[in-house]
Amino acid sequence: MHSRRWSASLLAVISLVGLVLASCSAGSTATQIGRVAGASIVVGTTGVPASLDFTATGGAAIPQALMSNVYEGLVRIDQDGGIRPQLAESWEVSDGRTRYTFDLREDVTFSNGDPFNAESAKFSIEYVQNEWTNGLKSQMDVVEDVEVLDEHVLQVTLSRPSNNWLWSMGTLTGAMMTPSGIPTLATEPVGTGPYVLDRFAVGESISFDVREDYWGTPAHQDAAIRYFSDAVSAVNALRSGDIDLVWAMQAPELLDTLPEEYEVEVGTTNGEVIFSMNNDAAPFDDVRVRQAVAHAVDRTAVNEVVWEGLATDTGGAPVPPTDPWFTGHNYYPHDPGRARELLAEAGYGEGNRPEVTISVPSLPYAQNISELVYSQLSEVGFDVELTTVEFPAVWLAEVMGAHDYQMSIIAHVEPRDIPTLFGDADGYLGFDDAGVREQLLAADTGEDQVRHMRAAVDGIMAEAGALTLFNSPNIVVLSPGVEGVNPNVVTDALQLSEMEKA
């Protein structure tokens, strides 16, 4: 994390909430003007949730607002990516690592007064399996049986050992819910967290009241998240006092318009911006062509253009710096000469240049990046065409769904998504490597997860399955007197309870 005073400008927009669709189907629709009423601390950001039901809607916006604030899990993920107790005080794992026995806290209730116990925990896990339509429900596929042993003792049996499962229980799929709260998931979520929902103004804001009967350390102040369509509006609201901080600043060139007393902190995120190559489509069905792209792209230049160097270079690998298997190894140094050699080895030359089309989603950051990589690829011998694809509907249908593309650029924000992106040969990347799948399985089922994940990443990068351009920074701008803000994003939550304004 970097903390500094700013006078320099930065650059463009990156959308980290690509799969959230805008609509007005739930909650209050009254227009919010000025500061959110009743909130002592107000966070401004983008990525508006269409509803509050992440069981049916993908994307980062809903869990960002609700996880750690309204919902909690049996476990939580700390800032180092470690698994810590939360609603479960402790747990034991069987010798075969397939049976987890959780001792649950006995002093917890949901915000509507329902007791939290082994029955509600069993219900929550099975609800993911049987009722969720969010694709992340697959994280619960490994669960074979859930049994209530006592009022506050839960036993979960897995079909095979899985390191990923317990970690996922600290994310949205592990959110503990009560059956009586299901009918109002989209408008009035009920959880065990330090806040209760006060008001949901669709497209504008979410307000939270401190729970006086919270089982843990109470939140410092009532809070709200205010949503903006652009960075100018967010900065104007910060200047006027309508909000107290900007989370995920998307146009940092505006920072030099702010008074000197505003503080800026820069953290890391789960957002890897990936330059994807369809491994099933020519010319990218040839590993040498993919490797040529990886050497042709100047990631440092992309970082400077898009974030003025504030993003983290992952060495081209799809691993955020907060994951234990992050090494920072530079898999593909910028080397136009080597890129030309690889194209020649693949049978291409000046009279036979590979023709490629980049399907660019209609997102500002992708548009900016595409113009730069267009030049870099052309320089080493590609004939490049840029075509804009409407995002999200058309991009999701054509690129993610039908795999009808050659290259694209998109931010993937889900935590620890390497198995999803590179472990499924039917995925949109078309990456198919049995050795990588073996390492991913060993990482999930074995005892040395870090070693196997690093081996899997090495295999992905040897095949140049895709190129990560950078790990997106989280730029947070704080007004004077705001404390308790951690800019690093490890899971899917924007924790409000420790924030306060003097």
Side-chain angles (χ1 to χ4, degrees), residues 4-68:
R4 62 183 83 176
R5 305 282 182 183
W6 284 79
S7 61
S9 63
L10 296 174
L11 106 322
V13 176
I14 180 164
S15 169
L16 293 184
V17 200
L19 301 183
V20 178
L21 310 180
S23 70
C24 295
S25 58
S28 168
T29 57
T31 300
Q32 195 102 47
I33 299 175
R35 189 175 177 88
V36 177
S40 299
I41 182 92
V42 182
V43 177
T45 192
T46 56
V48 185
S51 82
L52 299 180
D53 181 8
F54 54 64
T55 74
T57 304
I62 308 174
Q64 180 189 63
L66 298 186
M67 290 305 298
S68 296

Side-chain angles (χ1 to χ4, degrees), residues 424-440:
D424 180 4
D426 295 325
Y428 90 103
L429 295 177
F431 183 78
D432 185 3
D433 187 283
V436 168
R437 286 195 297 273
E438 289 176 6
Q439 291 295 337
L440 290 174

Side-chain angles (χ1 to χ4, degrees), residues 274-281 284 290 318 399-400 403 405-406 408 410 412 417-418 420-432 460 465-467:
I274 288 182
F275 195 17
S276 57
M277 296 167 275
N278 189 340
N279 290 211
D280 283 336
F284 299 114
R290 300 196 300 270
V399 178
M400 183 72 79
H403 310 170
Y405 80 106
Q406 286 182 299
S408 193
I410 200 69
H412 285 276
D417 56 2
I418 288 177
T420 302
L421 292 173
F422 298 96
D424 180 4
D426 295 325
Y428 90 103
L429 295 177
F431 183 78
D432 185 3
I460 292 166
L467 181 69

Side-chain angles (χ1 to χ4, degrees), residues 463-482:
E463 292 293 313
L467 181 69
T468 298
L469 300 174
F470 52 76
N471 173 266
S472 304
N474 183 36
I475 300 177
V476 183
V477 187
L478 304 97
S479 61
V482 174

Side-chain angles (χ1 to χ4, degrees), residues 136-442:
L136 292 177
K137 67 175 292 182
S138 62
Q139 294 175 343
M140 211 67 80
D141 287 351
V142 72
V143 174
E144 186 173 82
D145 182 64
V146 187
E147 184 177 355
V148 174
L149 300 185
D150 200 348
E151 183 178 4
H152 293 98
V153 181
L154 181 76
Q155 182 174 282
V156 179
T157 302
L158 308 183
S159 59
R160 58 171 174 78
S162 174
N163 297 312
N164 295 335
W165 175 77
L166 187 61
W167 197 92
S168 74
M169 289 296 289
T171 69
L172 78 161
T173 50
M176 293 291 106
M177 299 180 178
T178 179
S180 65
I182 299 303
T184 59
L185 281 175
T187 55
E188 297 179 18
V190 177
T192 63
Y195 289 103
V196 61
L197 182 78
D198 173 48
R199 182 173 185 268
F200 173 38
V202 177
E204 295 178 358
S205 66
I206 304 175
S207 303
F208 303 93
D209 287 340
V210 172
R211 273 190 67 185
E212 300 300 335
D213 62 343
Y214 179 56
W215 64 269
T217 303
H220 290 299
Q221 296 174 330
D222 293 342
I225 302 175
R226 177 86 178 273
Y227 296 99
F228 297 89
S229 60
D230 59 81
V232 173
S233 299
V235 169
N236 287 341
L238 184 71
R239 291 174 62 93
S240 68
D242 286 349
I243 63 175
D244 302 305
L245 65 107
V246 179
W247 180 267
M249 179 65 170
Q250 295 192 4
E253 71 270 15
L254 300 175
L255 292 175
D256 57 6
T257 70
L258 295 173
E260 194 173 286
E261 61 267 23
Y262 285 84
E263 184 177 354
V264 175
E265 296 187 357
V266 181
T268 59
T269 71
N270 292 307
E272 289 88 45
V273 174
I274 288 182
F275 195 17
S276 57
M277 296 167 275
N278 189 340
N279 290 211
D280 283 336
F284 299 114
D285 52 355
D286 188 326
V287 63
R288 295 167 296 187
V289 179
R290 300 196 300 270
Q291 292 170 336
V293 169
H295 279 300
V297 173
D298 186 347
R299 300 190 308 275
T300 300
V302 172
N303 190 353
E304 288 294 335
V305 167
V306 178
W307 287 113
E308 288 201 353
L310 284 179
T312 300
D313 180 17
T314 66
V319 186
T322 50
D323 280 351
W325 36 91
F326 176 80
T327 65
H329 174 70
N330 188 1
Y331 287 93
Y332 288 97
H334 180 226
D335 189 343
R338 179 57 182 150
R340 295 186 188 96
E341 290 174 0
L342 286 163
L343 286 181
E345 292 173 13
Y348 295 102
E350 192 54 44
N352 179 31
R353 294 164 65 95
E355 298 179 356
V356 299
T357 298
I358 305 176
S359 298
V360 186
S362 56
L363 298 166
Y365 74 87
Q367 300 283 334
N368 291 341
I369 292 171
S370 67
E371 294 172 3
L372 182 58
V373 298
Y374 174 95
S375 299
Q376 294 173 350
L377 294 180
S378 298
E379 179 186 343
V380 301
F382 287 90
D383 276 343
V384 185
E385 179 180 346
L386 302 179
T387 181
T388 299
V389 179
E390 186 274 331
F391 186 91
V394 177
W395 190 91
L396 289 174
E398 293 185 356
V399 178
M400 183 72 79
H403 310 170
D404 184 15
Y405 80 106
Q406 286 182 299
M407 309 182 82
S408 193
I409 301 165
I410 200 69
H412 285 276
V413 301
E414 294 80 9
R416 301 199 174 180
D417 56 2
I418 288 177
T420 302
L421 292 173
F422 298 96
D424 180 4
D426 295 325
Y428 90 103
L429 295 177
F431 183 78
D432 185 3
D433 187 283
V436 168
R437 286 195 297 273
E438 289 176 6
Q439 291 295 337
L440 290 174
L441 180 61

